[in-house]
Amino acid sequence: MTGRQTIIPFGPQHPVLPEPIHLDLVVEDERVVSAIPSIGYVHRGLESLVDRREYQDFVFLAERICGICSFTHSSTFCQGIEGLMGIQIPQRAAYLRTMWGEYSRLHSHLLWLGLFADSLGFESLFYQAWKIRESILDEMEATTGGRVIQGVCKVGGVRRDVANSFLSGMDDRLDEIEDNMKDLTNVFLNDYTLKKRLVGKGVLSKDDAYYLGAAGPTARGSGLDMDIRSTGYLAYGDVGFKPVVEKGGDGYARCAVRCRELFQSVEIIRRVITDMPEGDVFTPVKGNPDGEYFSRSEQPRGEVIHYLKGNGTKNLAQFRVRTPTLTNIPPLVSILAGCELADVPQIVLTIDPCIGCMER
Amino acid sequence: MKMFKTILKQFFHTPATTTFPNTPLENFEGTRGHLVFDPSKCTSCMMCMKRCPSQAITVQRAEKIWTLDRFRCVMCGNCVDVCKFDALLMEREYAKSATPTERGVETYEITYVKPERPKKETAE
Amino acid sequence: MNMKIDSVEAADVQKIAGTMRSGGYRLVVMTCTPADEGYYITYSFEKETDLRHYRIAVAEGTTIPSIGSSYGGAFVYENEIHDLYGFTFEGMSLDFGGTFIKTSVPYPFKKKEQPAPTVTVVKEAKE
Amino acid sequence: MSSASKSPWLLHYNASSCNGCDIEILAALTPVYDVERFGIINTGNPAHADIFVVTGGVNEQNKAVLKNIYDQIPEPKVVVAVGICASSGGVFRECYNISGGVDTIIPVDVYVPGCSVRPEALIEGIVKALGVLEEKRAAMEAKK
Amino acid sequence: MDIMFIVGAVLFLILAPILGGLLTGCDRVLTARFQSRVGPPLLQPFYDVAKLWHKEKAFSNPVEIIFTTAYLVLIAFSGAMLATGGNLLFVFFSLALAHTFLILAAYSANAPYAHIGAERELLSVMILEPILILFAAGCFLVTGSFDTYHMLIQDVPGIIYLPGVFIVFIAVLTLKLRKSPFDISTSHHAHQELVKGVTSSLSGRSLAKVEIAHWYEMMIFLSMILLFFAGYPVLSAVAIILVFLLEIVIDNIFPRVTWKMTVKSLWIVTLVFGVGNIVVLGILGGIV
Amino acid sequence: MYPPELIAILILLLVPVSAAVLLAVFKPDLVRNVLAGITSVIIIGASVFLAWKALIAPVSLTLEHTEWIGMLLFIAEIGVALVILGLSIKYRKILPLLLSVIQLILILILEFFGIAGPHAMTTFTVTGLSAVMVLIIGIIGTLICVYALGYMKDYHDHQIGVPVRKRYFFALMFLFLSAMFGLVLFNNLMWILCAWEVTTLCSFLLIGYSRTPEAMKNAFRAVWMNLIGGICFTLAIFFLLRINTPVNLLSVTDLLAFPNVSALTIPLAFIAVAGLTKAAQMPFSTWLTGAMVAPTPVSALLHSSTMVKAGVYLLVLFAPLFSQTWVGIFLALIGAFTFLATSALAISQSNAKKVLAYSTIANLGLITACAGIGTAEAIMAAILLIIFHAVAKALLFLCVGAVEHKIGSRDIEDMDGLLVRLPLLATMMVIGISGMYLAPFGMLISKWAALEAFLTAPLGYVFIAILAFGSAFTIFFWTKWLGKLFMRMNRPPAEKIALHISEKLSVIVMGVLVIGCCLGFPAIITGVIIPYLNGIHPYFYLGNKGFFYFDTLVMLGLMAFILLFLVIGAFLGSREGRTIAPYLGGRAVDSEGRFLGSLGVYKEAKTSNYYLEEYFGEKVLLKPSWVISGVLIIVMLVLGFMGVMIWI
């Protein structure tokens, strides 16, 4: 009966959404009949700035596509320019980028776990996750000088080196962080009530995930072995990377993927620190980029693609970003239909939406 | 239920909360807090203005004026990197907030005096 | 990483998408970029590590067949290209009607008389 | 200090920020910074809010939302523009979709610089905003 | 009516909000400590209400002023009745009426979030109703009267006869105090999917009234624990403190559940323990 | 000279019939209005007089030469059976046909081969219970007829295509009143059976008034279910006649005074079934919900406040007998179960009339439960329920009917903001709804009384548990309706159509009656119910019991005072302040209540109530309920045949 429908404008301003996205929720009782997203609240048009900033300075702008995945964006952009110009960055720089990339994955996943707990009304778990995240941010700040926007990547390498003495101290601090994370993920993965809320909610089948274009943990939660890190860019080839895959396809599986990736990231960081090669962190760059390049890397949220097109001047001719959240929107639309209103926040969050990324 | 252990642990530990703002926070070495300008070292080369990604810096070479809009500065430190004369520095302390009346552009008069070029002793 | 780009006809897009889909490829990205004449739209597909790019050259204002029937997730790219470049896609699985990315200038990346993208004149913040 | 400044409730809206400032606002709520020490609660509901925290520069779609939310907050209220984007448009000032800082749409009482804003800076800004809130309340009482 | 009763009622009307506010403050501090934070000052709830009281008069529908007033007055009235040893059943009916007014206040805003909050509040009233009636029936079976006064002057504490009802009572207290996992209609924290649920359209003074009413309500429900331990003041006090602590801990170790899970779990508990208790008591022929 | 009571009785029995004949003859609206108005005044006057007399002292009148009345009624009964038979043949309905044939045969057997008992029999008795019923029929019934005068005009304006047969309609309405008076005034079970059958016929014809296929289907369903009741009633008479005793068991007074209850279990079981069908208890509830296709005054008159009350009247009448048997316990269980099931079913309905129908069945279930338990407290609760339910429910039906004509829908979802759009009707509706379940209004007091009655009854804890959950459902569906009325509207107000004066009058009087009954409930208890109960249980003394405790009364008064104060406050209070838009996640609403949603489409920000269809829908609940209640009925009949008594 159409007379029994409630239409709820969910967002753009809503406590569950730190970022603006809008959903037109049509619910009956509390069952969602249809949920159509509407975006464009964060669209800035950043890609249009390439022709007024030099490609080297544009790194700082690329970094500000998103405040959470900032490091990956800057490194992907640098990687793209380096690809266009055929620059080989020093090994140490590659290792440092890998380390920071994994740190930013840690901070992003912890942030997500916190927000996810919050969306389930689990305040104390939210605080717990964010408390651990603060120690990750401390590591970031100590090594790069910025908490969430690191500003450390540079075409040709990185701007700052990290002292070896600091790196060796990092290992002990990682132990403590890992212990805390164990307590945290134990709750996420084993708590009875949380399981009740998560298992079987928002199921995305393997096929749907593949053909609707799911990326990152969303795809891996549905049993897809998809991770750009497997291609072995930066130092990932040296650390023996294997993607974390869960088969459930539901909210629990996606949560489990992220929980397990936390420990995987810690492992990678440990490997990178121990194997850190000595040497320069920066290769001087000469000339201007020309040609086309698809630069891909794995963000905490999935595969990000920077398309760069140079025309031999200091400014790029074209810059396009395809972010994991954008391609995770179609799966989101498909899993929202038929869910409970109370599950809408957690289902929206299971794809870990990063609207800032998505809309540039 | 699994949470019980964790919250119990929290309860018997001192809270993680800082005492800020009663005591200022210690920042890490190399934290980019705010930009400091040394008027006595600036040669008005304009590099900082050109390479600032957010156009927070303006240099008027003729008037010898260097201005910074703190409410545009992204603290990326690019200007510090490109400044060959060490006139710019990143301090660790964060920048202070302002009400509309307090808010303004920081203007500095460049006091740099081009040093007398040392006599070319080697020329002799 | 494969950067080889195959040029194809705009009318064949759906066929290619169909082949790719039945071949087990996933849609990675659709990119629109201005060319010397008109625009290129690049479709990238991937199966495991096999990345393939197909490119169509289209003139301004052309209507392009949508690949929504093969890839349900293509609508995000198609709507975006519609909103930013002004192309119309026929048969999108979810048509936002130009409200996917609402911009203050219509089709900001569309080529104008002067090649630079339109930029709103920013009022200088009060000093 | 009257009750107004002892119990400021926040409402946060991301106008078109990159997320950096938003997560730092959330970080300010978390154990290490714990702004609840000052009675600050993140309400998420305009009808309950006293302090409207906006991040990001204003774009086309957000204008109406910002105005709508601002109108729904009962007096006395204070608007805090957090981050350089909210203050002036920041790095995105020249983008075609950004029309400037928050003050182009609604009156701003306190600007907090930073990119992204550090939680300490945010707390400092909010404490400043409390002063403004106090003044506004006094003015409101006097009007009665 | 005894003069003592009137004194009791007046004392309740004055003391309940003060105690309730303090307890809420304790709750917030303790919760913060469980979350590794310092937390707000103890008197924070009072600051909040004082601030709300001085805010601008703004509403989405003017009738909400009268509805929230009615909610507050009737809750206070029920509390006063309870304090005078009045009729338990009538206390419950009066509470139900009070909640109806809160629900109507939420309905009257005609905003989706408030509306769903109202529906969920209604669900929680529905969940609560059976156990309250069973509680009253249990008291009747024990004392032969619905009057709390008779329950209080029992020689044997009521919990001996009504252990099942007590268990259910603690379970529904979580719902009543708007704590996780059963804070489906609104909660004291930023409530996620419903914004603030039933109170989301209330602001300023209306919200302050609802807040004070919550304090009253909390005191009403906590003081009902007395009925189970009547005649043993120390034991009662310990029980009340323990139950309150238990509720805070429960709040912190559970996520919120959906309304369906709330109804199912609480009604199963009610059916098993509540009805079971009453049936056993009924078969044994009551105590009278 | 006849005693004045007899004259009043005769007026009540004959005036409506004569009015019916006249109404069937005269066509002009004016004549009808005047005629109906005069008749109504006479009926109200007579019923008030009779009730007043009866409350002073129970009236008991014996007439001589009652044979010709009996004969007349017998002919009427045969006529009823024949009409149903004829219509069944015309519309090719097998089940009603079969049942009416059985019924006809049974009546004929009864008349010609029945063992005529001793004929020393009182003709009319007016006890407290019948006085209550007389007042309900006399006042509420006539008010509904008056309301119908205006309503039917609107009805035919709205229902294009339905043939206008107002003469037929009003004749049936008044005929029905006569039958109802007969039902509660006669003392002879044979005569009561006749009145019973006439009400069945009236109900059948009025449900099928519009002659649409749906209406006819539901009408036939109503008739076959009620025929089962009639047959059971007849069987009960058969079994009564077979009991060898010097007293005439067909006389209600004698039957009630009969000491050997264990011999009566079989007829009691049949009477119970008859009462259950008339009161539309599970599994017979569908006829009442189906009957909602009839014009609203019919629903109000027949299907909420009077005819269905005939069923429970019969049960309450025999409650003292039920109280000693297991038949009674099972009757009570069926009633309580019906209360639970239909309260739950009402949650899933959005059609206002259907909600009212289910709520009616639920309350009748509660009354049935009280009647089955049959203790003095239970009877008191039952009578209170009958009174309060009749007034509040009639008011609600009248409001829904009027609202339907004003806004063109009887869906609760369409009633949002009614308080702004139709202030008078909505206020009355609020009074009606509050009267149905909120403290300190009548129904709640009655429920309280029922609760106390259950607590002291055998197996009381079962009833308590059922009542506890049932009232939870009740709260749910009433409150969500109430909430709808208070919503803020951003829709254009309804068209300004003046309410017909007759509708306005009836609605307002009814509203006053609801409040009056609530305020006067202590008087009703002491003045009406206690004397009646003392007639049955001479030692019954209410005293300081529960809800009638002095302190509680004071509290109730205080509460009513607070409410009054709040209502005054609502009217006089300050409304200064700023109106802020409803919170829609930051979305702005335009003047028509719409916001710009996804895909660039404007959507209306609308809200709807919960209906919990997956738990309480008809599809889910009806069939299991039929099974359970069917089993309970069979067990009840078996227990009746076994003659099991309660030995507590």
Side-chain angles (χ1 to χ4, degrees), chain E residues 1 5 56-63 65-67 69-70 73-74 77 81 84 87 89-90 93-94 96-97 100-101 103-104 107-113 115-116 119-120 122-123 125-127 129-130 133-134 137 140-141 146-147 195 200-201 203 259-260 264 267 270-271 275 278-279 282-283, chain F residues 347 437-440 444 448 451-452 455-456 461-462 464-465 467-469 471-473 475-476 479-484 486-490 546-547 549 551-552 554-556 558-559 562-563 566 569-570 574-585 605-610 612 614-616:
Chain E
M1 254 194 268
F5 285 168
E56 175 197 24
K57 277 184 189 153
F59 36 69
S60 52
N61 187 348
V63 290
I65 301 172
I66 206 78
F67 283 152
T69 313
V73 169
L74 283 167
F77 175 68
M81 248 179 354
T84 56
N87 193 305
L89 209 50
F90 192 49
F93 289 149
S94 161
L97 181 64
T100 308
F101 279 111
I103 292 164
L104 290 182
Y107 264 112
S108 66
N110 198 20
Y113 293 104
H115 179 93
I116 290 179
E119 297 281 346
R120 291 212 187 153
L122 190 48
L123 277 167
V125 172
M126 180 174 106
I127 295 166
E129 186 72 8
I133 290 183
L134 289 175
F140 188 92
L141 288 175
F146 284 125
D147 287 356
V195 188
S200 66
S201 64
S203 66
W259 69 265
K260 280 183 187 169
K264 275 179 198 155
W267 271 9
T270 309
L271 268 175
V275 174
I278 296 298
V279 166
I283 288 173
Chain F
I347 292 178
Y437 81 110
L438 281 180
L444 191 98
W448 189 336
L451 196 64
E452 294 204 3
L455 272 169
T456 47
Y461 42 84
V462 177
I464 291 288
L467 184 72
F469 283 92
S471 6
F473 296 143
I475 288 182
F476 192 81
T479 311
K480 68 182 190 185
W481 185 349
L482 198 57
K484 268 277 162 193
F486 281 102
M487 279 192 171
R488 195 180 76 167
M489 279 307 291
N490 31 29
F547 69 95
Y549 190 54
D551 280 4
T552 316
V554 170
M555 286 298 171
L556 275 172
L558 204 56
M559 196 165 179
I562 290 174
L563 284 184
L566 289 170
S574 139
R575 267 164 229 193
E576 64 167 304
R578 185 162 66 97
T579 307
I580 48 180
Y583 173 69
L584 295 174
K606 73 187 280 274
T607 54
S608 308
N609 283 328
Y610 288 7
L612 316 187
E614 57 191 303
Y615 299 108
F616 302 133

Side-chain angles (χ1 to χ4, degrees), chain A residues 30 32 119-120 196-198 200-202 336 339-350, chain E residues 120 193 256-258 261:
Chain A
E30 284 199 15
V32 174
S119 79
L120 293 160
K196 267 267 189 220
R197 288 290 315 265
L198 295 178
K201 299 287 165 66
L336 269 179
C339 72
E340 285 282 313
L341 175 64
D343 293 331
V344 168
Q346 54 128 321
I347 288 177
V348 171
L349 277 176
T350 49
Chain E
R120 291 212 187 153
E193 75 267 17
R256 179 179 308 118
V257 298
T258 59
M261 281 157 82

Side-chain angles (χ1 to χ4, degrees), chain B residues 17-60:
Chain B
T17 313
T18 62
T19 46
F20 181 85
N22 292 339
T23 49
L25 277 185
E26 293 259 326
N27 285 329
F28 290 97
E29 189 74 40
T31 297
R32 296 189 304 275
H34 70 280
L35 191 61
V36 182
F37 176 65
D38 184 351
S40 64
K41 285 183 182 163
C42 179
T43 60
S44 316
C45 71
M46 315 265 284
M47 270 314 275
C48 52
M49 178 178 166
K50 276 184 201 144
R51 296 290 297 273
C52 177
S54 63
Q55 298 171 330
I57 302 172
T58 44
V59 186
Q60 287 157 291

Side-chain angles (χ1 to χ4, degrees), chain F residues 84 91 93 95-96 200-227 280 284-295 298-299 302-303 307 351 353-354 357-358 410 618 622 626:
Chain F
I84 296 174
Y91 285 91
K93 301 278 181 181
L95 195 57
T200 301
L201 178 71
C202 288
S203 154
F204 166 59
L205 294 176
L206 285 170
I207 295 172
Y209 176 74
S210 65
R211 293 201 178 153
T212 57
E214 195 200 358
M216 289 320 286
K217 196 182 108 208
N218 291 338
F220 275 105
R221 190 194 295 141
V223 85
W224 74 253
M225 286 193 177
N226 275 303
L227 277 174
F284 307 109
S285 65
T286 42
W287 79 259
L288 187 70
T289 47
M292 294 300 139
V293 297
V298 176
S299 312
L302 277 75
H303 306 130
M307 187 177 91
N351 180 337
K353 278 182 82 173
K354 254 195 152 172
Y358 273 123
R410 58 169 78 153
E618 287 183 333
L622 270 182
W626 287 337

Side-chain angles (χ1 to χ4, degrees), chain C:
Chain C
M1 214 167 295
N2 179 18
M3 283 305 305
K4 195 172 84 67
I5 297 171
D6 302 333
S7 286
V8 292
E9 287 300 311
D12 295 341
V13 161
Q14 275 181 330
K15 211 175 75 197
I16 289 167
T19 330
M20 284 285 137
R21 160 95 200 213
S22 50
Y25 282 77
R26 69 185 171 98
L27 177 68
V28 177
V29 66
M30 278 168 67
T31 320
C32 183
T33 172
D36 295 338
E37 269 178 37
Y39 299 81
Y40 294 135
I41 296 178
T42 315
Y43 294 76
S44 310
F45 301 93
E46 192 185 44
K47 182 182 180 181
E48 282 159 17
T49 52
D50 178 16
L51 182 66
R52 297 196 188 174
H53 305 284
Y54 293 93
R55 164 165 290 175
I56 56 171
V58 279
E60 202 161 284
T62 326
T63 301
I64 303 160
S66 161
I67 58 166
S69 52
S70 306
Y71 291 98
F75 74 85
V76 282
Y77 306 116
E78 290 170 350
N79 276 296
E80 188 181 296
I81 292 173
H82 170 264
D83 291 357
L84 297 183
Y85 293 89
F87 286 103
T88 317
F89 285 84
E90 211 165 13
M92 282 190 278
S93 47
L94 202 58
D95 190 347
F96 281 76
T99 59
F100 191 67
I101 291 178
K102 208 173 148 197
T103 51
S104 47
V105 252
Y107 315 128
F109 286 92
K110 195 171 167 179
K111 282 193 221 168
K112 296 282 152 35
E113 276 68 41
Q114 58 272 59
T118 321
V119 171
T120 35
V121 180
V122 178
K123 243 192 339 206
E124 281 300 312
K126 44 187 179 269
E127 302 291 330

Side-chain angles (χ1 to χ4, degrees), chain A residues 53 57 128 150 183 191, chain B residues 1 9-10 31-32 51 53:
Chain A
R53 297 277 187 276
D57 301 343
Q128 190 59 25
Q150 288 82 15
D183 283 353
D191 185 75
Chain B
M1 281 304 204
K9 217 196 265 173
Q10 313 286 0
T31 297
R32 296 189 304 275
R51 296 290 297 273

